[in-house]
Amino acid sequence: MEDVARAAGVSRMTVSRALRSDGPVSDETRARILKIVRKLNYVPDQSAGTLSTRRSGFVATLVPSLNNLHFAESIQALSEQLEPTGLQMLLGHTDYSAEREERLIESMLKRRPEIIVLPFDGHTPRTIKLLKQANVPVIEQWEVPKRPIGYTVGFSNWQAARKMTTALIERGYQRIAFVSESEDAWTRGAARRAGFEDAMQSAGLSAHRMIRFGKPPISIEDGFQIGAQYSEHFADADCIFCVSDAPAFGVLSALKSQQIRVPEDIAVVGFGNFEVSRFSSPTITTVEVDARGIGHQTGELVRRLLVDENDRDGIPRHFEIDVRLRFRESTRA
Amino acid sequence: MEDVARAAGVSRMTVSRALRSDGPVSDETRARILKIVRKLNYVPDQSAGTLSTRRSGFVATLVPSLNNLHFAESIQALSEQLEPTGLQMLLGHTDYSAEREERLIESMLKRRPEIIVLPFDGHTPRTIKLLKQANVPVIEQWEVPKRPIGYTVGFSNWQAARKMTTALIERGYQRIAFVSESEDAWTRGAARRAGFEDAMQSAGLSAHRMIRFGKPPISIEDGFQIGAQYSEHFADADCIFCVSDAPAFGVLSALKSQQIRVPEDIAVVGFGNFEVSRFSSPTITTVEVDARGIGHQTGELVRRLLVDENDRDGIPRHFEIDVRLRFRESTRA
DNA sequence: GATATCCATGTTACCGGTAACATCTCTGGC
DNA sequence: GCCAGAGATGTTACCGGTAACATGGATATC
C-alpha cells in the first residue's frame, strides 16, 4: 500500500479511501490510484482491515454434512446471496456430532464472524454458552428449536412427519412402519420419528414397527439392506415411511428385486423430495422441503442484519419454510 | 488479552506464549493462564495473529458446484484432513463459470490464503496471472491441465472416457450415442466427450450420435427428457453413454416408461459411480471415480506443504487418482 | 567463586490497514 | 473583502496479536 501511495504521490490514507467505494476522494485521484493498484497488482490485506474496522466480513456457517443434497443446495443458495454483499462464508460440517460442532464454533470464533449460521440438531451446553457470548447474531436452520438462541429459518420436522402420517392414515393405511437412523438422538430424523408416532397414536394406531438402521445420514444402501429383510420387518405392514428419500429408494429397489409390488403389496414413502424420487419407478411419495428456500431466506436475513442499514426494523425472529406433501405412484390414491 | 495478563500477573507476551502449544512457559504459569482464559471466556483474535505472523491459516478452496456428490465428498474429505492441522477452509463455488472463479479468487486473495485449491475447468488469463502472483502453492483438481500452474490431483477424463468407450466397443457395441451438456466449453464433460470421439474414430466407428442438452451440471431430469425422445435420438443406436450417472439414470427411467428394454434393446452407461447407479434397475454400468480420494490426497499434499516440516522433500507435482470401469446390468456381458 | 548457559519472562516495535481528527483550499454569501 | 462551510487530503494513533531481542535468576562447570 505504501508503494501505491508513493507512486501516486499521495498518502496511504488516500489510497485506502480510494479503494473503498464510499471514501471522499476526487474522481481524478481515485482513477489514478486504481490504475496504479492494477499495475502493481496490489491486493489489500483484509485481516489488517478487519483488525482496524472490527468487521471481519465473515459469515460462519455450519451444516451437518455436505453429501446430502438438501444441505448442499441451501449452502449454495446462501453463498449466492452473499456474493454481492462482499461477505465471505466460513464453512464447516459437523458430521452430525455436537462435539464436532462445538470445536468448529470455537475455532471459527477466532475469526470474529459477524454472524453465525448453523443447523439445529441439539447443541452442547458449551456451544450454547459460546454462541451467546459471541455477541453476534445467531441463525438456527432447518429444525426449529423450542428455545432458539437468536433467529430461526426452518420448519418443524415433527409437524411435517405428522402431517404426512395423518394423510397416509386418511388414505387407508393403518400398519405403517417407520425407517430411521440408529443414532439420531437430536437430529431432524428423531423429530420426524416423534411426529410419526404422535400421529399414529392420535389415530389410535400402534406405532411399533420402528426400524432403526444405519448411521446418519442414512443412505440408499442402508435402505436396500432394510428392504432386503422384507419378511422380517414388513410382513404385516401396509406402508413403509422412510426418514429420507435415500433409504426409500433403497427399500424400493430391494422390494423390486423380491418381486414385491409397490404400491399394490405395500406402499413406500420418503422425505425430502430428492430428484431421484421423481424418476424412480414407481415414483416415490414424499415430503417436499424447500432447501434452497432455507439458504435464500437465511441470506436475506443476513443482508438485513448486516448490510442494509435502512431495513433493520421489525425483523421477525422466525422464518417458516414451506413443506408440502407430494403423493406419487408409490402410494395408492 | 490485556485483561488475562493482568489477572494472571504476567505480561501479554506470556499469555500469548501460553496459548500456543510451543512457547517456552513454565507449566505452572501456563496452567494458571489457561484457567483465567477459560474463566474470562477469552477468545484470541486470529486476524491480529495473522497480521503479525503472516500466516493466515486459510486454505482457499473452490469447487464447480456443491450439489454434485462428487465435489461435496471431495470437499468433505479435504476438510476432515484439515481439521487436526488447525487450517481452515475458505470455500467458494464457481458454478462452472470462469468469470465467477476469477472474482472468487480475487476476493479470497485478500484473506492471504496459504494455499489455493481449485478445479481445473479452464481459467481466465487474469485468473492465471492472479494465481501465479499470489506466490502461494496452487493445487488443481479433477481434470489434469496440460500446463499445470502448480500441483495437480486428479485424472484424465479424456482417457477415462476413452477407456470405457473402447471397452464398450470390445463388447460389441458399435453405434454408441454420447449424451453431454450443451455449454461445457472447458469442463470435464468436454474432455470426456473428446475421449469418446477419439476412441470411436480409432476403432473406425462414427461418432455422430452426439446429444447435447442441459446446462452443467446435467441432471436426472435432463436425462429423462433426452430419453423421452428415444426414436429421435437413439432409433439406430445400440448404446447410450452419458457424461454422468445422473442423466444416465434419467434416460433409463424414460426408456422404462416407453417399454424399451435395457440392455436388450439398448445399453445405458454413466460416469461417476453415484450411489443411485448401484441401486437402479437395471444397475448402471459406469466409470468409478474416487472422489473422496481426491479430497484425501489433496489434504495430504496440503499437510506436506504447510504443516509437516520434515516431509517437504521430493513432493511429486502430480497425484493420479484411480479410475475403474464398473460393468453392471445396463450393458450386456 | 567467577563465568557460561539456559530457561522463564518482559520490552519494544511492527504487521497493514483505518478511525478520528487536523489541515488546507476552494466556493459562495453578504 | 471577509468568513462560513464543504470537500479533498494528510497526520497520528490504534486495532490485537507476535517477532526479536533484552533481562534476570537459577543452575552447571571448572
Side-chain angles (χ1 to χ4, degrees):
Chain A
M1 184 155 171
E2 183 69 54
D3 300 343
V4 175
R6 209 180 2 251
V10 296
S11 70
R12 289 193 303 147
M13 195 62 230
T14 304
V15 175
S16 170
R17 281 196 267 254
L19 286 169
R20 296 148 41 90
S21 34
D22 55 326
V25 188
S26 72
D27 293 347
E28 184 213 355
T29 314
R30 164 169 287 129
R32 181 159 40 96
I33 291 176
L34 291 182
K35 211 164 101 187
I36 294 171
V37 163
R38 225 159 300 142
K39 195 170 68 187
L40 298 183
N41 294 302
Y42 165 67
V43 179
D45 183 330
Q46 206 163 355
S47 48
T50 292
L51 194 56
S52 182
T53 57
R54 294 143 154 289
R55 295 208 50 175
S56 65
F58 279 131
V59 174
T61 311
L62 297 182
V63 280
S65 138
L66 282 172
N67 52 23
N68 172 313
L69 275 188
H70 273 168
F71 301 128
E73 286 196 340
S74 86
I75 288 301
Q76 191 138 337
L78 172 59
S79 103
E80 278 156 19
Q81 289 270 301
L82 251 35
E83 218 211 320
T85 67
L87 292 164
Q88 274 176 9
M89 212 168 70
L90 271 179
L91 186 69
H93 63 101
T94 65
D95 254 333
Y96 300 89
S97 149
E99 286 70 35
R100 208 176 128 88
E101 177 181 79
E102 180 184 315
R103 284 202 305 280
L104 281 168
I105 289 174
E106 199 164 9
S107 83
M108 284 183 174
L109 285 177
K110 297 185 185 163
R111 304 289 188 180
R112 298 289 186 268
E114 300 186 30
I115 199 161
I116 300 173
V117 176
L118 75 175
F120 174 70
D121 276 336
H123 309 297
T124 66
R126 180 132 190 283
T127 296
I128 294 173
K129 197 173 128 198
L130 284 169
L131 290 175
K132 287 187 172 162
Q133 275 165 2
N135 199 24
V136 143
V138 172
I139 304 176
E140 287 169 294
Q141 286 186 322
W142 297 94
E143 174 70 1
V144 179
K146 281 120 279 170
R147 301 189 60 241
I149 298 173
Y151 299 88
T152 60
V153 178
F155 61 94
S156 163
N157 283 279
W158 188 90
Q159 275 177 16
R162 196 179 191 291
K163 195 166 149 195
M164 174 56 95
T165 308
T166 304
L168 289 170
I169 294 168
E170 276 171 14
R171 275 156 209 249
Y173 292 104
Q174 301 207 329
R175 304 184 308 280
I176 310 176
F178 193 84
V179 169
S180 57
E181 290 121 338
S182 58
E183 302 165 17
D184 60 359
W186 284 97
T187 62
R188 294 159 299 284
R192 290 173 202 164
R193 194 172 57 242
F196 164 75
E197 288 173 335
D198 188 76
M200 291 293 275
Q201 279 153 22
S202 299
L205 297 171
S206 158
H208 68 278
R209 299 176 187 82
M210 307 303 287
I211 292 100
R212 307 285 297 270
F213 187 82
K215 273 187 282 189
I218 188 171
S219 64
I220 297 180
E221 167 92 51
D222 293 326
F224 189 88
Q225 293 195 31
I226 294 165
Q229 304 188 301
Y230 177 74
S231 52
E232 183 180 329
H233 291 318
F234 308 118
D236 75 332
D238 57 8
C239 177
I240 307 174
F241 186 4
C242 296
V243 77
S244 126
D245 281 355
F249 181 75
V251 164
L252 199 59
S253 177
L255 296 185
K256 236 186 288 184
S257 68
Q258 297 167 78
Q259 267 82 51
I260 295 158
R261 292 166 308 164
V262 175
E264 292 82 358
D265 297 331
I266 194 164
V268 172
V269 176
F271 197 111
N273 194 29
F274 294 143
E275 204 182 12
V276 72
S277 68
R278 280 182 10 243
F279 295 98
S280 66
S281 71
T283 55
I284 301 174
T285 292
T286 191
V287 180
E288 179 180 0
V289 172
D290 184 10
R292 285 194 63 84
I294 290 189
H296 189 87
Q297 274 295 342
T298 304
E300 189 64 14
L301 181 51
V302 170
R303 191 189 56 68
R304 289 187 69 178
L305 287 167
L306 299 181
V307 184
D308 199 338
E309 316 208 337
N310 310 320
D311 197 12
R312 211 157 286 171
D313 298 328
I315 302 180
R317 308 288 284 181
H318 173 62
F319 292 85
E320 179 76 18
I321 295 298
D322 274 359
V323 168
R324 291 154 97 167
L325 307 186
R326 292 286 181 205
F327 281 90
R328 301 214 181 97
E329 296 163 4
S330 69
T331 48
R332 52 165 199 269
Chain B
M1 185 155 172
E2 184 69 52
D3 300 343
V4 175
R6 208 175 7 246
V10 296
S11 70
R12 288 194 304 150
M13 195 63 229
T14 304
V15 175
S16 171
R17 281 196 267 254
L19 286 169
R20 294 142 53 83
S21 33
D22 56 326
V25 188
S26 73
D27 293 348
E28 185 213 355
T29 313
R30 163 168 289 129
R32 181 159 40 97
I33 291 175
L34 291 183
K35 213 166 99 189
I36 293 170
V37 163
R38 226 159 300 142
K39 195 169 70 187
L40 298 183
N41 294 303
Y42 164 68
V43 179
D45 183 329
Q46 206 163 355
S47 48
T50 292
L51 194 56
S52 181
T53 57
R54 296 145 154 289
R55 294 208 49 177
S56 65
F58 278 132
V59 174
T61 311
L62 298 182
V63 280
S65 139
L66 283 172
N67 53 23
N68 172 313
L69 276 187
H70 273 169
F71 302 128
E73 286 196 339
S74 86
I75 288 302
Q76 190 138 338
L78 172 58
S79 102
E80 277 156 20
Q81 290 270 300
L82 252 36
E83 218 211 321
T85 68
L87 292 163
Q88 273 177 9
M89 212 167 71
L90 273 178
L91 186 69
H93 63 102
T94 66
D95 252 333
Y96 301 88
S97 149
E99 286 69 35
R100 207 176 129 87
E101 177 181 78
E102 180 182 314
R103 284 202 306 279
L104 282 168
I105 289 174
E106 199 163 8
S107 82
M108 284 183 174
L109 285 178
K110 295 185 185 162
R111 305 287 188 180
R112 298 291 186 265
E114 300 186 30
I115 199 160
I116 300 171
V117 176
L118 76 174
F120 174 70
D121 275 335
H123 310 297
T124 67
R126 179 130 191 284
T127 296
I128 294 173
K129 197 173 128 199
L130 285 168
L131 290 176
K132 287 186 173 163
Q133 276 164 0
N135 200 25
V136 143
V138 172
I139 304 177
E140 287 169 295
Q141 286 186 323
W142 297 94
E143 175 70 0
V144 179
K146 281 120 277 172
R147 300 189 59 242
I149 299 173
Y151 299 89
T152 59
V153 178
F155 61 94
S156 163
N157 282 280
W158 189 89
Q159 276 176 16
R162 195 178 191 292
K163 196 166 147 194
M164 174 56 95
T165 308
T166 304
L168 289 170
I169 294 169
E170 276 170 13
R171 275 158 208 249
Y173 292 105
Q174 300 207 329
R175 304 184 308 280
I176 310 176
F178 193 85
V179 169
S180 57
E181 289 120 340
S182 58
E183 301 166 18
D184 61 359
W186 285 97
T187 62
R188 293 160 300 283
R192 290 174 200 164
R193 193 171 58 242
F196 164 76
E197 289 173 332
D198 187 78
M200 291 294 274
Q201 278 153 21
S202 299
L205 298 172
S206 158
H208 69 276
R209 297 177 188 81
M210 308 302 287
I211 292 98
R212 308 283 298 270
F213 187 81
K215 273 188 280 187
I218 188 171
S219 64
I220 297 179
E221 167 92 51
D222 293 326
F224 189 89
Q225 293 196 30
I226 294 165
Q229 304 188 298
Y230 176 75
S231 54
E232 184 180 328
H233 291 319
F234 307 119
D236 74 332
D238 57 8
C239 177
I240 307 173
F241 186 3
C242 296
V243 77
S244 124
D245 280 356
F249 182 76
V251 164
L252 200 58
S253 176
L255 296 185
K256 238 186 289 186
S257 69
Q258 297 168 80
Q259 268 82 49
I260 295 157
R261 292 165 308 161
V262 176
E264 292 81 359
D265 297 331
I266 194 165
V268 171
V269 176
F271 197 111
N273 194 28
F274 294 142
E275 202 182 13
V276 71
S277 67
R278 286 187 358 249
F279 295 98
S280 66
S281 71
T283 54
I284 301 174
T285 291
T286 191
V287 180
E288 179 182 358
V289 172
D290 184 9
R292 285 194 62 85
I294 290 189
H296 189 87
Q297 274 296 339
T298 304
E300 188 64 15
L301 181 51
V302 170
R303 192 189 56 68
R304 290 187 68 177
L305 287 166
L306 299 181
V307 184
D308 199 339
E309 315 208 335
N310 310 318
D311 196 13
R312 210 157 286 171
D313 299 327
I315 302 180
R317 307 289 283 181
H318 174 62
F319 291 84
E320 180 75 19
I321 294 297
D322 274 0
V323 168
R324 291 153 97 168
L325 307 186
R326 292 286 180 203
F327 281 91
R328 301 214 180 98
E329 295 163 5
S330 68
T331 48
R332 54 167 198 268

